[in-house]
């Protein structure tokens, strides 16, 4: 599989939109070859003999970064210990590999995060939940179509919830409104308003 003939993706488009490359008929060993530093700028996943390589655009990065900022601010406000995973590659046997936009374990550190965050603009889909189901990630936040939705793993499948179970007090509809501000405003101002709206006794 001639990966290097297909990479890097078109960096002229990188600033504004995600770019995605799908490689079918791939093996797990092909996937593991993409763990080298030269591919660190990409988010890479593997499932059902397909490798997906994604180069995130500017808006993607802004939303993903803002979600992380607001999660950490909320944890600091309620004094909840958190352990960031960032885009650490998560694996389950040789079946599934996934690099979330960010992820967190809470209260104590764990092998896998309690929460994974997936940002989709021109890439990905709700089918990413299948990969997270194999990884047994307790909760997934999926940004798609300009809104964030929360999914909780219940009896082996994800169901949509309106408020987070792992971070009680955070509602998807309200968080979406703050994330919309991220396209034009500094995260500093958004974070300040977020903390005021989420007092410690909530």
């Amino acid at each position: 599989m001639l990966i290097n003939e297909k990479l890097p993706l078109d960096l002229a488009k990188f600033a504004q939109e995600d770019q995605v490359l799908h490689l079918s008929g791939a093996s797990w060993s092909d996937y593991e070859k993409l763990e080298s530093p030269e591919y660190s700028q990409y988010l890479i996943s593997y499932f059902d003999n397909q490798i997906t390589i994604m180069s995130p655009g500017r808006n993607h990065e802004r939303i993903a970064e803002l979600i992380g900022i607001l999660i950490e601010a909320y944890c600091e406000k309620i004094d909840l210990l958190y352990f960031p995973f960032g885009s650490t590659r998560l694996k389950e046997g040789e079946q599934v590999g996934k690099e979330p936009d960010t992820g967190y374990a809470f209260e104590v550190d764990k092998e896998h995060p309690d929460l994974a965050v997936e940002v989709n603009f021109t890439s990905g889909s709700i089918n990413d939940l299948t990969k997270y189901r194999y990884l047994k990630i307790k909760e997934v936040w999926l940004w798609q179509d300009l809104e964030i939705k929360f999914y909780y793993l219940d009896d082996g499948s994800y169901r949509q919830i309106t408020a987070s179970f792992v971070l009680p007090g955070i509602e998807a509809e309200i968080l979406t409104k703050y994330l919309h501000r991220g396209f034009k405003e500094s995260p500093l101002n958004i974070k300040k308003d977020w903390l005021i709206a989420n007092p410690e006794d909530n």
Side-chain angles (χ1 to χ4, degrees):
M1 186 169 57
L2 301 178
I3 299 290
N4 289 328
E5 288 189 3
K6 299 175 181 293
L7 296 175
L9 302 179
D10 184 0
L11 296 182
K13 294 183 178 180
F14 173 80
Q16 296 298 333
E17 60 188 59
D18 298 345
Q19 294 184 80
V20 185
L21 176 65
H22 298 290
L23 303 172
S24 300
S27 67
W28 184 260
S29 61
D30 290 327
Y31 174 64
E32 289 191 317
K33 291 175 185 176
L34 299 177
E35 277 194 283
S36 62
E38 67 181 298
Y39 301 110
S40 61
Q41 63 183 306
Y42 304 107
L43 294 175
I44 304 173
S45 66
Y46 176 88
F47 180 66
D48 197 23
N49 299 113
Q50 179 171 277
I51 293 173
T52 301
I53 303 172
M54 193 267 287
S55 175
R58 180 180 299 153
N59 286 336
H60 182 127
E61 295 282 38
R62 283 185 174 177
I63 292 299
E65 183 73 14
L66 181 56
I67 293 171
I69 288 171
L70 298 183
I71 287 173
E72 293 180 16
Y74 183 81
C75 289
E76 291 167 11
K77 185 72 174 180
I78 66 172
D79 199 25
L80 175 64
L81 295 177
Y82 64 89
F83 300 86
F85 279 69
S87 295
T88 299
R89 182 170 291 190
L90 309 174
K91 301 177 183 178
E92 178 60 35
E94 296 187 357
Q95 291 183 301
V96 179
K98 190 79 176 79
E99 297 174 5
D101 283 277
T102 192
Y104 294 89
F106 302 106
E107 296 182 340
V108 297
D109 202 0
K110 304 176 182 76
E111 182 179 356
H112 280 176
D114 296 311
L115 170 65
V117 175
E118 191 77 14
V119 175
N120 294 332
F121 272 93
T122 53
S123 68
S125 71
I126 198 168
N127 292 330
D128 285 327
L129 291 175
T130 302
K131 299 172 187 175
Y132 286 118
R133 179 170 57 82
Y134 275 88
L135 292 164
K136 300 179 177 65
I137 304 302
K138 187 180 299 183
E139 189 166 306
V140 177
W141 293 4
L142 179 63
W143 169 270
Q144 190 165 312
D145 298 326
L146 297 179
E147 67 176 322
I148 196 162
K149 295 180 180 179
F150 297 169
Y151 297 90
Y152 189 78
L153 189 61
D154 186 8
D155 196 23
S157 61
Y158 284 105
R159 63 181 176 90
Q160 188 174 345
I161 54 177
T162 57
S164 174
F165 281 6
V166 298
L167 292 176
I170 297 183
E171 298 180 8
E173 184 178 359
I174 294 174
L175 179 57
T176 295
K177 294 177 181 178
Y178 283 90
L179 296 178
H180 282 173
R181 294 172 56 183
F183 294 113
K184 296 182 179 180
E185 295 183 50
S186 167
L188 180 62
N189 293 333
I190 301 170
K191 178 181 175 180
K192 288 178 179 178
D193 291 344
W194 172 252
L195 289 175
I196 293 171
N198 288 282
E200 189 172 359
D201 58 356
N202 266 8

